[in-house]
């Protein structure tokens, strides 16, 4: 076992943390220009180099934006900004798809229940249209997968929670072609039936039923993925022996 020395937090990290908190506390509002590098260096009692490094980090995660006119301006703080920190981890993780599916099972069940509580007639109409599109696209793996994901993203929008919407958009990007493999394995009928039942539960404002149905739906997808993973591993081992 190797124990590495504890590293002290760099000055630029401390500066970026304080600036971030000042922004989140609304000391500087969206669209407002923050003090210059020189002014910030004087305020924090550090070098301009440390301030510049801190500002670059805050620009990278989307809290600030540099403009050609000069200076750094506060961006509108939305849910997507907080997700920026986890996006690289999700994409590079070898278990990213399994992580996403397990996250879906935890999150989307409650999301469906919340949608059942908050739905409006126009929301049900949109879900109906998406579901009909799924029915029409049965037989086309790519189109059917895209429609199914739109259904889930629409549920997030119905909750009126911006963080849930941002999470679903991130999930759609990460799933990519893997979603098509899952659909091909499960078939179209189960997907059409699952989404129809969830839609009806939301229409009835039945939170518990919507939650239970979504939990069962995503759990089945997780089992399908596990089965595909095992089959792929077995084929790879067989190929190594030949």
């Amino acid at each position: 076992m190797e124990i590495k020395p504890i590293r002290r937090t760099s000055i630029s990290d401390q500066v970026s943390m304080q600036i971030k908190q000042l922004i989140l506390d609304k000391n500087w509002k969206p669209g407002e220009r923050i003090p210059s590098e020189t002014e910030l260096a004087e305020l924090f009692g550090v070098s301009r180099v440390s301030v510049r490094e801190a500002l670059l980090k805050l620009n990278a995660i989307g809290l600030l934006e540099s403009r050609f006119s000069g200076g750094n301006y506060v961006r509108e703080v939305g849910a997507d900004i907080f997700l920026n920190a986890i996006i690289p981890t999700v994409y590079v993780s070898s278990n990213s798809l399994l992580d996403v599916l397990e996250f879906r099972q935890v999150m989307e069940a409650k999301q469906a229940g919340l949608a059942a509580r908050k739905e409006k007639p126009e929301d049900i109409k949109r879900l109906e249209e998406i579901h009909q599109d799924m029915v029409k696209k049965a037989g086309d793996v790519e189109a059917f997968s895209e429609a199914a994901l739109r259904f889930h993203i629409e549920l997030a929008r119905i909750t009126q929670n911006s963080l849930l919407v941002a999470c679903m958009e991130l999930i759609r990007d990460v799933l990519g072609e893997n979603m098509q493999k899952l659909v091909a394995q499960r078939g179209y009928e189960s997907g059409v039936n699952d989404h129809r039942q969830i839609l009806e539960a939301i229409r009835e404002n039945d939170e518990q039923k919507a939650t239970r149905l979504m939990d069962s739906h995503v759990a089945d997808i997780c089992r399908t993925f596990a089965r595909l993973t095992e089959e792929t591993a077995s084929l790879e081992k067989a190929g190594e022996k030949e």
Side-chain angles (χ1 to χ4, degrees):
M1 180 177 65
E2 181 184 0
I3 299 178
K4 298 181 180 180
I6 301 297
R7 296 182 179 180
R8 296 179 180 178
T9 305
S10 69
I11 293 175
S12 64
D13 283 342
Q14 294 179 56
V15 172
S16 66
M17 287 173 63
Q18 285 202 51
I19 294 177
K20 183 192 299 181
Q21 195 58 53
L22 287 166
I23 292 172
L24 296 179
D25 289 343
K26 303 295 184 182
N27 287 278
W28 296 314
K29 295 178 174 56
E32 184 177 343
R33 179 178 176 176
I34 69 171
S36 67
E37 287 183 7
T38 301
E39 292 170 320
L40 288 171
E42 292 176 357
L43 289 169
F44 287 114
V46 298
S47 69
R48 286 185 60 186
V49 173
S50 295
V51 170
R52 188 175 300 115
E53 290 177 356
L55 295 177
L56 286 172
K57 293 174 184 176
L58 295 173
N59 271 274
I61 65 172
L63 275 177
L64 293 176
E65 62 176 349
S66 296
R67 297 183 182 175
F68 292 113
S69 57
N72 289 278
Y73 292 77
V74 179
R75 284 189 58 198
E76 187 72 42
V77 179
D80 59 323
I81 288 176
F82 298 103
L83 288 173
N84 283 345
I86 69 170
I87 288 173
T89 303
V90 172
Y91 276 104
V92 303
S93 170
S94 59
N95 296 319
S96 60
L97 184 56
L98 178 59
D99 290 344
V100 168
L101 292 175
E102 291 176 343
F103 176 71
R104 283 187 66 185
Q105 187 172 5
V106 172
M107 179 191 75
E108 287 199 63
K110 293 296 184 182
Q111 176 174 283
L114 188 58
R117 187 197 313 168
K118 293 187 174 183
E119 63 84 17
K120 298 182 178 115
E122 57 267 30
D123 297 324
I124 296 300
K125 182 179 178 182
R126 285 196 298 273
L127 287 176
E128 284 278 12
E129 291 171 351
I130 296 171
H131 186 264
Q132 285 301 314
D133 196 35
M134 289 179 63
V135 173
K136 292 177 184 176
K137 300 295 172 56
D140 184 330
V141 174
E142 184 177 354
F144 184 89
S145 301
E146 194 278 332
L149 282 172
R150 275 196 290 120
F151 185 97
H152 290 265
I153 291 171
E154 188 60 38
L155 289 186
R157 292 198 178 104
I158 292 171
T159 69
Q160 302 167 41
N161 185 301
S162 61
L163 185 55
L164 289 175
V165 174
C167 284
M168 287 308 303
E169 291 289 355
L170 172 60
I171 286 172
R172 175 160 67 177
D173 290 342
V174 174
L175 282 175
E177 295 181 2
N178 287 296
M179 184 64 180
Q180 297 175 34
K181 296 177 184 176
L182 294 170
V183 168
Q185 185 73 17
R186 292 183 75 239
Y188 303 102
E189 185 176 354
S190 60
V192 169
N193 290 338
D194 286 357
H195 289 80
R196 164 53 64 183
Q197 291 180 50
I198 292 167
L199 170 56
E200 292 303 328
I202 292 171
R203 189 202 305 276
E204 296 164 5
N205 301 121
D206 192 331
E207 292 185 43
Q208 292 186 348
K209 186 177 180 181
T211 298
R212 185 178 68 255
L213 288 170
M214 182 62 79
D215 180 69
S216 176
H217 171 66
V218 183
D220 186 58
I221 292 174
C222 288
R223 287 191 292 271
T224 301
F225 173 74
R227 187 166 60 251
L228 281 172
T229 302
E230 289 177 3
E231 291 174 357
T232 301
S234 297
L235 289 172
E236 289 177 350
K237 286 183 180 179
E240 290 173 358
K241 291 179 181 180
E242 293 180 354

